[in-house]
Amino acid sequence: MGRNLARNLARHGYRVAVHNRSVAKTLSLMDEAGDEGTFIPAESMADFVAALERPRTAIIMVKAGAPTDAVIAELADLMEPGDIIVDAGNAHFPDTILRESVLSTRGLHFVGTGVSGGEEGALNGPSIMPGGTPESYATLGPMLEAISAKVGGVPCCTHVGPGGAGHFVKMVHNGIEYADMQLIAEAYDLLRLGLGATAPQMAEIFAQWNTGDLESFLIEITADVLAHTDAATGQPLVDLVLDQAQQKGTGKWTVQNALDLGVPITGIAEATFARGLSGSVPQREAARAVLPADAEPIPELSDDERSAFIEDVRLALYASKVVAYSQGFDQIAAASVENEWNIDRGAMARIWRGGCIIRARFLDRITEAYQRNPELPLLLADPYFTEAVGAGVAAWRRVVQWAARYGVPAPAFSSSLSYYDGVRAERLPASLIQTQRDFFGAHTYERRDREGVFHTEWSGDRTEHAA
């Protein structure tokens, strides 16, 4: 991505100094793309910094953690007050906050910047989520907006907020991406087992879905993947790939942070755990040997029933996807308050409309929802989404029931529906939990019928008193 980001900058008329610890990679870029713009190859970090105009702007894309710290330290020793270091990798936002704090004491600007779109997006226009100070964005903004994706002429880039806000929003973006991918995978599995459909047949279904409300980058590439045939065997490639999904950690970070904030992001959490389950090979092998399904055999469907089943899965997928996005925006809102970032959720939806992995048609609707009410407490409560999701609830329930009846795992569909029912419930059983907590730990409780905090003497005479 760093290579293609440099090419993108050069294509937009910027003079770009480039450096890699492997000189061969720097020379390879010059050989393959040197005619795309003005590049200044640098064999050493000192040469790289010397090639930059003051105030200098250096963009780094390296592996998160210690490698990032090493590059930052080397750069910082060569730079001067007023210079800007941009970390465009997938850094954990607390690390970004710490790095900015340390570098600011040296007069340097440090900007944690989320970049989404993969290698292709980096070259042709990604979604860019820069944090840092307003002063640094005054310098960076025109450049980053120029190379970002555009939707209706509007750049998919904006100043997210101070400190680690940019990397935080990118982390949540990736968490939503986990949920989106898991939901699509579950839809694929339901169609595969429920219809006995082949990969090419499912490719046609996903391609058709991509012409409607589900239109998105991930649905588009799903159709492409399902249609792809392995050259060596002539079979669909997806049927030959090991069913063990890997992860790099951003989903885990998202779930950990949501727990810290007390924000329920059940769809993202289930998607993250589902990847973990897929890689739990010894446990899965042991379970296959002994755990009974006690499920009914999947029935054959008539043509009309097949069409109805496909439509049910489509509606359930749409509703579940909206839940994942709604939960992600709740997490952004909570972190923004806690860290005083003042993040504009509508602007985040706007810059995710193009370039990024989770770009989707309904992000326009999300943008509009926050324009109508910037303080919207729940995306699902916006009139458009209330109607759109409500229209699919019956189908959603049928799909989850079908999965349970026939023993097909659908954790993200199921948890998303449970969240939907939980958030709309008139009364939850948490009253019992709170009473239990008071019983064994004197944790107190509040009452519905009067103000105050109370405790019952459970091991004594069971009188209640104000805590």
Side-chain angles (χ1 to χ4, degrees), residues 4 18 45 97 136 151 165 249 262 278 321 324 357-358 395 407 415 427:
N4 280 355
V18 291
M45 188 69 83
I97 293 172
S136 61
V151 176
S278 75
K321 281 162 68 79
I357 302 302
I358 65 170
S415 66
R427 183 168 170 79

Side-chain angles (χ1 to χ4, degrees), residues 271-452:
T272 306
F273 288 128
R275 291 199 188 188
L277 176 62
S278 75
S280 299
V281 177
Q283 291 83 358
R284 291 176 63 192
E285 290 178 347
R288 288 192 201 102
V290 299
L291 296 185
D294 200 17
E296 298 179 26
I298 297 174
E300 292 282 341
L301 301 178
S302 67
D303 288 345
D304 288 345
E305 288 172 333
R306 290 171 70 89
S307 297
F309 184 74
I310 292 169
E311 178 63 4
D312 276 358
V313 174
R314 185 188 73 82
L315 290 168
L317 176 57
Y318 183 79
S320 298
K321 281 162 68 79
V322 173
V323 165
Y325 282 73
S326 181
Q327 292 176 347
F329 279 103
D330 282 350
Q331 185 173 2
I332 290 172
S336 180
V337 170
E338 179 164 291
N339 295 283
E340 299 182 347
W341 285 334
N342 195 30
I343 297 174
D344 181 344
R345 287 175 292 171
M348 298 307 98
R350 187 183 72 243
I351 67 173
W352 287 349
R353 294 181 303 163
C356 72
I357 302 302
I358 65 170
R359 60 184 182 267
R361 177 187 291 189
F362 68 68
L363 279 162
D364 284 321
R365 299 293 192 178
I366 296 177
T367 303
E368 294 165 3
Y370 288 117
Q371 287 174 341
R372 284 190 290 271
N373 182 4
E375 303 303 319
L376 184 65
L378 177 73
L379 182 63
L380 286 165
D382 174 77
Y384 171 81
F385 289 107
T386 298
E387 181 179 353
V389 173
V393 170
W396 201 0
R397 296 193 191 285
R398 286 193 294 270
V399 167
V400 172
Q401 289 169 350
W402 188 96
R405 182 177 184 178
Y406 299 113
V408 177
F413 274 111
S414 302
S415 66
S416 298
L417 179 58
S418 291
Y419 171 85
Y420 177 86
D421 283 334
V423 79
R424 67 166 191 84
E426 185 68 29
R427 183 168 170 79
L428 293 168
S431 57
L432 177 59
I433 294 171
Q434 196 60 19
T435 314
Q436 291 170 331
R437 294 181 73 243
D438 188 59
F439 190 109
F440 65 70
H443 292 296
T444 73
Y445 53 86
E446 295 177 79
R447 295 176 60 109
R448 301 174 65 192
D449 54 351
R450 61 179 185 268
E451 296 293 323

Side-chain angles (χ1 to χ4, degrees), residues 45-47 49 56 73-80 83 106:
M45 188 69 83
D47 291 341
V49 172
R56 303 175 182 90
E74 188 177 5
L75 264 175
D77 287 343
L78 296 167
M79 299 182 89
E80 299 173 343
D83 290 346
R106 303 174 63 171

Side-chain angles (χ1 to χ4, degrees), residues 2-3 44 56 61 81 106 186 192 252 334 367 385 398 404:
R3 177 191 189 92
S44 70
R56 303 175 182 90
M61 293 195 80
R106 303 174 63 171
E186 289 179 18
R192 181 177 69 89
K252 178 186 72 175
T367 303
F385 289 107
R398 286 193 294 270

Side-chain angles (χ1 to χ4, degrees), residues 55-274:
R56 303 175 182 90
T57 298
I59 300 174
I60 65 173
M61 293 195 80
V62 295
K63 186 177 180 181
T68 297
D69 284 324
V71 172
I72 290 171
E74 188 177 5
L75 264 175
D77 287 343
L78 296 167
M79 299 182 89
E80 299 173 343
D83 290 346
I84 303 172
I85 298 175
V86 182
D87 177 9
N90 272 336
H92 197 12
F93 77 94
D95 295 339
T96 301
I97 293 172
L98 178 61
R99 289 162 181 157
E100 183 188 35
S101 175
V102 170
L103 291 177
S104 66
T105 64
R106 303 174 63 171
L108 298 174
H109 293 281
F110 183 73
V111 180
T113 299
V115 179
S116 178
E119 293 182 11
E120 182 179 348
L123 180 62
N124 298 316
S127 174
I128 308 178
M129 298 152 259
T133 63
E135 293 80 9
S136 61
Y137 192 76
T139 298
L140 291 172
M143 174 176 65
L144 298 181
E145 290 177 15
I147 67 170
S148 71
K150 310 294 187 301
V151 176
V154 178
C156 293
C157 173
T158 192
H159 182 225
V160 175
H167 274 148
F168 176 84
V169 166
K170 177 55 165 56
M171 178 193 76
V172 175
H173 164 285
N174 284 22
I176 294 172
E177 179 184 308
Y178 272 54
D180 210 342
M181 294 173 70
Q182 177 65 25
L183 289 164
I184 291 171
E186 289 179 18
Y188 149 79
D189 208 31
L190 289 163
L191 297 174
R192 181 177 69 89
L193 297 171
L195 304 177
T198 64
Q201 289 170 335
M202 288 183 285
E204 294 180 6
I205 292 171
F206 277 95
Q208 179 59 40
W209 286 354
N210 199 48
T211 64
D213 291 338
L214 281 173
E215 179 188 351
S216 67
F217 173 71
L218 286 171
I219 295 289
E220 176 188 344
I221 67 169
T222 298
D224 285 347
V225 166
L226 291 171
H228 183 68
T229 300
D230 175 56
T233 64
Q235 299 179 52
L237 178 62
V238 70
D239 293 342
L240 301 172
V241 173
L242 200 63
D243 62 337
Q244 298 173 23
Q246 299 180 3
Q247 50 189 311
K248 290 189 174 180
T250 48
K252 178 186 72 175
W253 292 344
T254 307
V255 175
Q256 289 173 331
N257 174 256
L259 290 170
D260 291 338
L261 294 170
V263 177
I265 56 165
T266 54
I268 296 170
E270 285 294 348
T272 306
F273 288 128

